[in-house]
Amino acid sequence: MDLLDNTVRPYAWGSPTAIPKLLGVEPSGEPQAEMWMGAHPGAPSRTARGTLVEVIDADPKAALGEEAVARFGPRLPFLLKILAAGAPLSLQVHPDLEQAREGYEDEERRGIPVDAPHRNYKDANHKPELICALTEFDGLCGFRAPEESAELLDGLGVDSLKPYVDALRAHPEDAALREVLTAILSADREEMARTVAEATAACRRLGGDYAPYADIAHHYPGDPGVIAAMLLNHVRLQPGEALFLGAGIPHAYLSGLGVEIMANSDNVLRCGLTPKHVDVPELLRVVRFEAGDAGVLRPEAAPDGEEVYETPIDEFRLSRYVLPDGAGAHDLALPTPQILLCTAGTVRVGEYDLTPGRSVFVPAAEKAEVSGAGTVFRATVIV
């Protein structure tokens, strides 16, 4: 078992206070967006034996288990994070596995450098992800019903939005959503900036259901993504609730602190709320134009006090234990690799006492018991 020393990424949208508050340390004044736990080559966790990448590479079967290696290869297939959004992240979608492989191979054939700003596919993997709220957490997830989006846009009283309102009301769901998102992202930038400015003023005046979009526009004035965001479900998670973001589902995190887990990939196609590259044709190839509920997840009870966030993929499985004071030890040994993360109280795992924000890597089949009073998240895989 290895105690992890993890890197905090200082992305501009990060909260300067949320992660330091969780860790019980003084803020640095800089944004602290994500703390990474895992073996991602960009910022692998460190252990007393070297980076987690080096620990796994030294003996993949011992670290990951034979079944996980056979299924996913000699690498940890997930990345666990603490995510602290102080400002909206980019509006984005992720490809499915086939789309990722096709896109990666195509860009490799065309000789686009993997670090080029206009490159879409950094690797050949998909990137399903799950976010579980530690505090109240705001986000956008999936398309609203077209009629609901039409009512929201119409209520702004902005003349230049009327063609979008009419299209949303005139066509079947798939065609309506596709036509309007395409029109928003393809519009003349100066004309769209004027439309966004008018819509922003209306959102500020109206408040209520429009307040989240006024805040988005405060961070991204004139961005087409402000209008695109109104096509999506706005959701406010309470602590312990979660969202699963599958392939092709447009989404954005707006504010709050959460535990996030994802397949090990960097493939992101952006729709807006960003100064980065937006590849509209490729984005439209990947987006699933289906309306539906945001799909808030609540943990399901499993044996021995475990609470599981069920998802339809195998690269990761996230669960938690909420341990009351005086509870006995729980046996957490598995034939698969685990990362255990404390988010509240103090829990003992093996020889380590974990306080909020501290984590350990448990190799496959290694003895692991957890006790104490607090909350511990468990990340592993399904084989």
Side-chain angles (χ1 to χ4, degrees):
M1 188 182 302
D2 295 280
L3 186 66
L4 299 180
D5 180 17
N6 304 305
T7 297
V8 176
R9 309 307 294 263
Y11 304 135
W13 50 262
S15 165
T17 59
I19 290 178
K21 182 179 179 180
L22 181 74
L23 298 176
V25 300
E26 287 297 316
S28 67
E30 300 297 319
Q32 297 192 26
E34 297 179 345
M35 187 170 76
W36 288 19
M37 291 157 279
H40 190 289
S45 298
R46 298 170 294 277
T47 79
R49 297 188 287 157
T51 69
L52 193 53
V53 171
E54 293 167 339
V55 169
I56 292 170
D57 285 350
D59 193 341
K61 289 185 178 179
L64 306 176
E66 291 192 12
E67 290 181 299
V69 171
R71 179 77 187 276
F72 304 110
R75 62 184 183 87
L76 190 67
F78 65 81
L79 177 64
L80 184 66
K81 301 179 180 179
I82 294 175
L83 182 146
L89 282 67
S90 62
L91 191 59
Q92 60 189 256
V93 296
H94 306 302
D96 63 26
L97 192 55
E98 183 178 353
Q99 290 165 337
R101 288 170 176 166
E102 290 175 353
Y104 180 78
E105 290 169 3
D106 174 65
E107 291 185 325
E108 287 289 281
R109 280 194 302 268
R110 291 190 282 142
I112 301 174
V114 73
D115 58 352
H118 63 288
R119 173 115 183 194
N120 293 316
Y121 296 96
K122 311 295 186 185
D123 52 68
N125 200 18
H126 62 165
K127 193 186 178 188
E129 57 191 43
L130 176 79
I131 183 78
C132 177
L134 293 178
T135 65
E136 198 170 74
F137 194 98
D138 274 25
L140 304 171
C141 179
F143 287 109
R144 303 173 188 264
E147 178 57 35
E148 293 178 10
S149 294
E151 288 183 16
L152 194 69
L153 292 173
D154 199 21
L156 292 170
V158 175
D159 288 344
S160 53
L161 291 176
K162 192 172 187 311
Y164 304 151
V165 173
D166 292 343
L168 287 166
R169 288 174 170 161
H171 303 302
E173 178 180 289
D174 177 283
L177 295 171
R178 182 181 294 273
E179 179 178 331
V180 173
L181 183 62
T182 302
I184 291 169
L185 299 181
S186 305
D188 178 84
R189 295 291 296 198
E190 290 186 5
E191 291 181 7
M192 178 53 69
R194 288 192 290 270
T195 294
V196 172
E198 286 187 59
T200 300
C203 287
R204 290 174 180 152
R205 183 179 69 254
L206 293 167
D209 289 344
Y210 292 97
Y213 309 102
D215 184 65
I216 291 170
H218 169 75
H219 293 282
Y220 298 98
D223 194 297
V226 175
I227 306 301
M230 295 188 191
L231 303 178
L232 306 185
N233 296 297
H234 173 251
V235 60
R236 177 163 291 165
L237 300 177
Q238 297 305 311
E241 295 181 333
L243 289 174
F244 173 70
L245 294 315
I249 304 299
H251 62 278
Y253 302 145
L254 303 180
S255 65
L257 181 72
V259 173
E260 185 183 37
I261 190 168
M262 62 184 62
N264 235 339
S265 172
D266 293 320
N267 288 326
V268 175
L269 291 156
R270 295 175 178 84
C271 314
L273 310 182
T274 179
K276 295 182 179 180
H277 177 61
V278 176
D279 185 334
V280 175
E282 186 63 17
L283 173 73
L284 297 175
R285 187 179 80 90
V286 168
V287 170
R288 290 170 53 191
F289 290 98
E290 301 172 2
D293 185 82
V296 175
L297 294 177
R298 294 171 181 85
E300 298 184 12
D304 196 32
E306 187 179 24
E307 300 176 335
V308 182
Y309 293 91
E310 298 287 355
T311 66
I313 54 94
D314 296 339
E315 280 90 343
F316 60 76
R317 176 184 182 273
L318 186 70
S319 62
R320 69 175 185 175
Y321 287 83
V322 180
L323 305 174
D325 192 13
H330 295 262
D331 181 4
L332 301 190
L334 287 175
T336 51
Q338 303 180 69
I339 292 178
L340 303 177
L341 163 68
C342 176
T343 59
T346 301
V347 297
R348 186 166 185 83
V349 182
E351 63 182 288
Y352 301 111
D353 288 320
L354 303 184
T355 53
R358 302 289 282 171
S359 56
V360 294
F361 174 74
V362 183
E366 181 164 322
K367 179 179 174 62
E369 287 188 345
V370 61
S371 60
T375 301
V376 61
F377 280 83
R378 178 197 227 180
T380 186
V381 300
I382 297 174
V383 294

